Amino acid sequence: MVSNDKAGVRATAQEARKAAKSPQIGGRCAASPDKSISHRAIILAGMANGESKITNLLESDDVMATAGAVRALGASVEQMGAGHWRVTGQPCWQTPSAALDLGNSGTGVRLLMGAAARFDLSARFTGDASLSSRPMERALAPLRLMGVTAQTADGGRLPVTLTGSSRLKAITYTPPIASAQVKSAILLAGLGADGETMVIEPHATRAHTETLAPLFGADMDVQRDGAGQIARVRGRQALHAADVHIPGDPSSAAFPLAAGLVAGSGTVTVTGIITNPARFGLYEVLKAMGADMTITPAGHCAGEALADITVRPGTLKGVDVPPEIAPSMIDEYPVLSVIAAFAEGVTRMTGLAELRAKESDRLAASAALLTANGVRVELGEDSLTVYGMGPGGVPGGGAVKTLHDHRLAMSGLILGLGAKEVVTVDDVAMIATSYPGFFDDMAALGAQIT
Ligand code: S3P
């Protein structure tokens, strides 16, 4: 990342931006720190005995909301320098004096409900308008089986008041939908249960909780089982402090790399990206589309294999994106839809019902983003078909409504960098929730965003 200019992004809150054709795009940047692992590192450190150091923490609004909540539950969470944080854990979390406001963050609220569940406390969880419209029952249902009591607003939404217990029961649970957030909530609660808790996933989701918790001394692991996996955690565990360096986020890296593919004339390299197969679906699809892409192994960090990825512009071909791959690229469909608009041929994406429960209805919003910019799409209940217009063929000129969704805002801007006419994005404020260095990185690569 060129710089971690959170204040810079905040200063532009609620402002529209315009993205213009930028054939000069090229260069190199470090991947923005991973959001999922940043949340998990703060939460695990916050309940561990002793002082943990976290470096390269993603200082985004979402992660800062989690840090604030962990502080309110009793831990000390302090910034020592840019990206460098010291967390002095509180092994017995306490009832916070005010509601825990998780802002826009589904990961923050669902993981924290699970983490708080194993303590004798009561906490009220709130969020912004987008988070307050999202389903919480999917995480609360298994926690109730373990012994938690929880009241929700109508439809299982926030605000949620949760009363935890130091006498939770261990469960074996198969989530009805593929969700790393639900799995992680159960595993974090299971750290305090009276026995072994298991989560059986028919389709494997990101296993960052399972990879990170053992660094804090937890007896937790995960094993592949065909297309799925089984995670388990032993109960009644105390954690110890750990030092964690946060690796690069494949979901954020997708934006500068997409700019290189659809707009640039040179190479774009993003360094230090997690290549965990449960996060790498987009890059597999890009390979199938014929992207000119080099993936160079770049060591390991926090238990994750990393790579530097270089792309060059070229002709991409439309592909079928099957439902099984969705859990490994669940956040990448808006940007893939944009890339598909610049491909030759048709891209059909199926099995996407979950996209309707994200920060916005991402399925409908991705379709609207493309339609507003002259790209033909077909929107189904759980599918999206994009009729590619070839390199340089996307008309653009449209206004993108971001609906308080950071990934739609960034996707709209990427479309503008390759389209014939300037694209306007109505509100870029939410980009600060996941990728606060976005504008700096894009400017350094030569993107015309004003
Ligand atoms: C996340 C899991 C995914 C993803 C989100 C981060 C995580 O959500 O969309 O951005 O860190 O566990 P679901 O668990 O709802 O699929």
Side-chain angles (χ1 to χ4, degrees):
M1 189 157 61
V2 177
S3 88
N4 202 343
D5 188 8
K6 186 172 182 225
V9 171
R10 277 210 163 142
T12 63
Q14 306 303 320
E15 270 183 28
R17 291 284 177 104
K18 290 182 188 301
K21 197 166 178 60
S22 306
Q24 65 280 32
I25 280 178
R28 187 180 176 91
C29 62
S32 179
D34 190 69
K35 177 159 78 74
S36 292
I37 299 180
S38 293
H39 282 291
R40 287 158 171 82
I42 293 273
I43 293 171
L44 290 163
M47 57 173 66
N49 270 302
E51 197 177 286
S52 297
K53 287 196 186 61
I54 307 174
T55 46
N56 201 37
L57 184 77
L58 177 68
E59 291 171 336
S60 74
D61 289 356
D62 276 11
V63 176
M64 292 302 106
T66 288
V70 168
R71 203 180 277 127
L73 287 157
S76 156
V77 185
E78 305 159 88
Q79 188 183 29
M80 310 303 287
H84 181 179
W85 290 69
R86 179 168 67 197
V87 181
T88 310
Q90 164 57 267
C92 185
W93 283 2
Q94 284 142 21
T95 293
S97 58
L100 303 175
D101 181 357
L102 274 306
N104 191 246
S105 181
T107 306
V109 76
R110 296 198 181 109
L111 267 60
L112 279 166
M113 290 193 303
R118 70 172 170 121
F119 300 105
D120 292 312
L121 58 74
S122 183
R124 183 175 160 84
F125 293 88
T126 62
D128 69 7
S130 154
L131 189 58
S132 301
S133 71
R134 297 177 64 187
M136 294 298 138
E137 198 52 44
R138 54 178 60 190
L140 291 172
L143 296 178
R144 286 198 176 95
L145 295 175
M146 298 176 86
V148 160
T149 54
Q151 287 88 43
T152 70
D154 283 354
R157 314 281 183 213
L158 294 178
V160 167
T161 301
L162 177 143
T163 304
S165 165
S166 56
R167 292 158 181 267
L168 292 183
K169 293 190 288 286
I171 57 169
T172 295
Y173 191 77
T174 304
I177 41 164
S179 168
Q181 293 175 0
V182 170
K183 171 181 61 174
S184 297
I186 299 167
L187 293 174
L188 290 168
L191 284 168
D194 66 348
E196 187 172 85
T197 292
M198 274 175 37
V199 183
I200 301 169
E201 293 191 297
H203 295 285
T205 66
R206 66 193 74 190
H208 298 316
T209 305
E210 299 92 306
T211 304
L212 205 57
L215 303 183
F216 289 85
D219 179 359
M220 186 187 294
D221 61 36
V222 63
Q223 277 172 5
R224 284 303 289 217
D225 181 22
Q229 62 192 5
I230 301 175
R232 52 156 287 283
V233 57
R234 184 169 57 80
R236 298 277 155 85
Q237 293 196 56
L239 304 185
H240 60 64
D243 292 347
V244 178
H245 187 81
I246 309 294
D249 194 323
S251 301
S252 296
F255 295 102
L257 290 171
L261 284 170
V262 306
S265 53
T267 62
V268 171
T269 300
V270 181
T271 60
I273 302 171
I274 293 171
T275 59
N276 187 324
R279 298 289 302 280
F280 218 59
L282 173 72
Y283 300 93
E284 300 302 336
V285 172
L286 292 177
K287 278 186 212 164
M289 294 176 89
D292 185 346
M293 181 168 66
T294 311
I295 301 176
T296 310
H300 287 80
C301 176
E304 300 288 346
L306 306 182
D308 300 340
I309 301 185
T310 298
V311 296
R312 296 159 207 85
T315 302
L316 304 173
K317 60 176 191 295
V319 290
D320 282 352
V321 183
E324 320 73 85
I325 202 171
S328 67
M329 55 176 295
I330 194 66
D331 292 331
E332 278 63 85
Y333 285 97
V335 73
L336 174 61
S337 308
V338 165
I339 295 169
F342 292 90
E344 280 178 351
V346 181
T347 296
R348 283 185 200 82
M349 297 165 269
T350 49
L352 305 185
E354 259 306 289
L355 292 195
R356 296 194 184 270
K358 293 292 175 190
E359 284 83 331
S360 68
D361 175 346
R362 275 191 185 154
L363 196 54
S366 297
L369 186 164
L370 295 177
T371 307
N373 287 288
V375 182
R376 189 177 146 219
V377 302
E378 268 163 33
L379 174 64
E381 268 308 298
D382 68 349
S383 65
L384 181 62
T385 301
V386 178
Y387 292 85
M389 309 190 82
V394 173
V400 174
K401 287 196 177 55
T402 61
L403 308 171
H404 304 293
D405 186 325
H406 51 125
R407 298 201 199 276
L408 286 173
M410 290 186 277
S411 299
L413 292 170
I414 300 301
L415 184 110
L417 301 179
K420 291 178 190 162
E421 302 293 336
V422 169
V423 171
T424 306
V425 169
D426 68 346
D427 182 10
V428 297
M430 287 320 216
I431 293 174
T433 64
S434 69
Y435 190 173
F438 175 78
F439 290 108
D440 284 347
D441 286 355
M442 295 310 298
L445 292 176
Q448 300 297 307
I449 300 176
T450 51

